[in-house]
Amino acid sequence: MTTARPPILSTVGDPQEPAWRGLMEASHPRPGRPLLSLLELWARSYRREALVLRGSVTARDLYRDLVFALALRHRRRRPRMLVTDATWEPGSRTLAARLPWLQPHLPQIARLMIRALDGPHVHYAVLSQEERAVFARTWGVPVERVVFTPFPMTLYAEYDRQTHDGGYLFAGGNSLRDYDLLATALAGSGHEAHVASRWTPPTPVPGLHARPTSHDEFTELLLGCRAMVAPLERSSRSAGQQTFLNAMVLGKPVIVTDAMGVRDYVEDGVTGVVVPPDPARLREAMDHVMDPANAEHYRRMGARARAEVLGRRMPEHYVQHLVAALGYGPAPQPAEPAEPAT
């Protein structure tokens, strides 16, 4: 007797995740073999009801999932398709850096590509509520086919690790970060801060240490910080969720500059601190969190932040949103509001 194949083929996630309930079979890329991975995805996608593709594929992967979505247009029967993490900008910064001569044409090329792969069978998943309308307007697709699938924490087996207070601030990541703003706010503060990024300070700032790190070192710095700071650029897409959610699930206070999507994840004064992208306001927030007199206030805030992530922003919740977007189940119910700050 043969066993029916799962109806969903996905390049995202683990099929053992309970939220999939046996609905999904994985088709993950082969490292360093993008063309073979594309051919395997094509062969395994026949007679599926739905596909979940990764919208954040890179040039190194030859944009496998997006190329596959384009090729799928030539099939007579096209399954429902959900493109996750569709955090795209009309001009690719990576391609612009590699091929500067192409930069003026990148927005037009990107729009032509999205128009070519789009169709009534395609839905797009974005990481903030505000992005639904922005994405629809930018790429010319109906807003009804753009869904909000909140990003989860990504520490997986490490989110229960013991933390400690090393007395320093931590910031990390590269996407849409405004570390020049952080450097300006830190100047003369006397605070120690570690930045895990490719960014280099334009001028030395006492106490500020910036360097690229391995994943393990990044995690260790996060475990030992007093608070995490996310200075974000304002853009047509959201960014930074992975870093500040990982800090929140560890019970660390987070200070985030106000940008698209931030308030979908952080409630100001309750589960974190949201400040305008202004050096003086950011400095004020950092001074307050680093003052030992406020330690209990931020311990309670960190506890509320951890409860929020455990209740609504775990990997299983993300999968539930994907399943619901494809019509296989209800979306996760909102958790009870976090206890108000006192």
Side-chain angles (χ1 to χ4, degrees):
M1 183 177 66
T2 59
T3 303
R5 294 191 307 173
I8 302 172
L9 185 70
S10 175
T11 64
V12 178
D14 180 354
Q16 302 306 313
E17 172 59 57
W20 286 114
R21 301 190 309 278
L23 292 168
M24 186 268 267
E25 182 179 320
S27 180
H28 296 312
R30 293 174 178 263
R33 306 289 296 277
L35 184 57
L36 179 59
S37 297
L38 177 60
L39 293 174
E40 287 186 346
L41 179 58
W42 178 263
R44 295 175 63 189
S45 63
Y46 277 98
R47 300 187 184 281
R48 303 285 182 172
E49 295 178 6
L51 302 170
V52 179
L53 303 180
R54 188 183 303 275
S56 57
V57 288
T58 63
R60 184 177 59 184
D61 302 314
L62 298 183
Y63 299 107
R64 180 189 80 149
D65 292 30
L66 300 181
V67 170
F68 169 73
L70 283 168
L72 201 66
R73 295 275 302 186
H74 298 287
R75 278 197 186 158
R76 181 179 304 174
R77 178 186 174 275
R78 294 190 290 270
R80 297 193 302 278
M81 184 191 307
L82 179 65
V83 182
T84 67
D85 201 7
T87 52
W88 307 326
E89 294 177 288
S92 168
R93 301 184 186 202
T94 301
L95 283 179
R98 293 181 179 178
L99 305 169
W101 56 270
L102 192 60
Q103 184 173 0
H105 308 289
L106 286 175
Q108 183 180 2
I109 292 171
R111 288 190 174 93
L112 287 172
M113 182 175 180
I114 301 307
R115 191 177 304 154
L117 69 82
D118 188 41
H121 63 295
V122 184
H123 284 68
Y124 304 90
V126 295
L127 302 181
S128 70
Q129 291 281 13
E130 190 178 354
E131 275 173 284
R132 293 186 63 237
V134 173
F135 185 96
R137 184 169 61 250
T138 300
W139 301 108
V141 302
V143 71
E144 294 78 16
R145 289 198 279 112
V146 185
V147 295
F148 171 40
T149 54
F151 203 70
M153 73 94 203
T154 60
L155 286 179
Y156 302 110
E158 298 181 296
Y159 70 90
D160 273 333
R161 285 185 60 185
Q162 184 67 42
T163 64
H164 62 281
D165 181 358
Y168 60 85
L169 296 162
F170 174 69
N174 295 296
S175 180
L176 297 180
R177 301 303 201 271
D178 187 355
Y179 290 128
D180 288 350
L181 170 66
L182 177 62
T184 301
L186 281 168
S189 68
H191 303 315
E192 181 182 1
H194 291 266
V195 177
S197 170
R198 295 188 298 268
W199 170 81
T200 301
T203 57
V205 176
L208 175 59
H209 314 281
R211 63 194 183 282
T213 66
S214 66
H215 169 76
D216 289 344
E217 186 180 4
F218 190 107
T219 303
E220 291 299 327
L221 286 168
L222 187 56
L223 286 163
C225 71
R226 179 168 298 176
M228 193 284 303
V229 184
L232 301 175
E233 294 180 6
R234 287 183 167 171
S235 173
S236 60
R237 67 177 180 88
S238 62
Q241 294 96 333
Q242 177 173 278
T243 304
F244 58 72
L245 285 172
N246 286 350
M248 290 165 68
V249 80
L250 292 174
K252 298 290 183 177
V254 298
I255 302 170
V256 189
T257 58
D258 206 358
M260 183 177 290
V262 167
R263 293 178 187 269
D264 287 320
Y265 299 87
V266 181
E267 185 176 355
D268 184 33
V270 179
T271 60
V273 179
V274 182
V275 298
D278 173 76
R281 295 291 298 275
L282 182 57
R283 169 70 172 271
E284 181 183 343
M286 292 190 298
D287 287 345
H288 198 265
V289 78
M290 294 299 285
D291 187 341
N294 301 320
E296 179 59 22
H297 169 76
Y298 286 107
R299 185 199 65 76
R300 294 196 303 269
M301 179 178 288
R304 290 192 296 269
R306 177 173 169 84
E308 166 72 8
V309 177
L310 292 176
R312 295 207 300 168
R313 300 291 182 251
M314 299 296 282
E316 59 264 32
H317 301 125
Y318 181 65
V319 172
Q320 288 168 15
H321 282 285
L322 299 183
V323 168
L326 288 169
Y328 287 96
Q333 294 300 309
E336 291 296 320
E339 175 192 350
T342 57

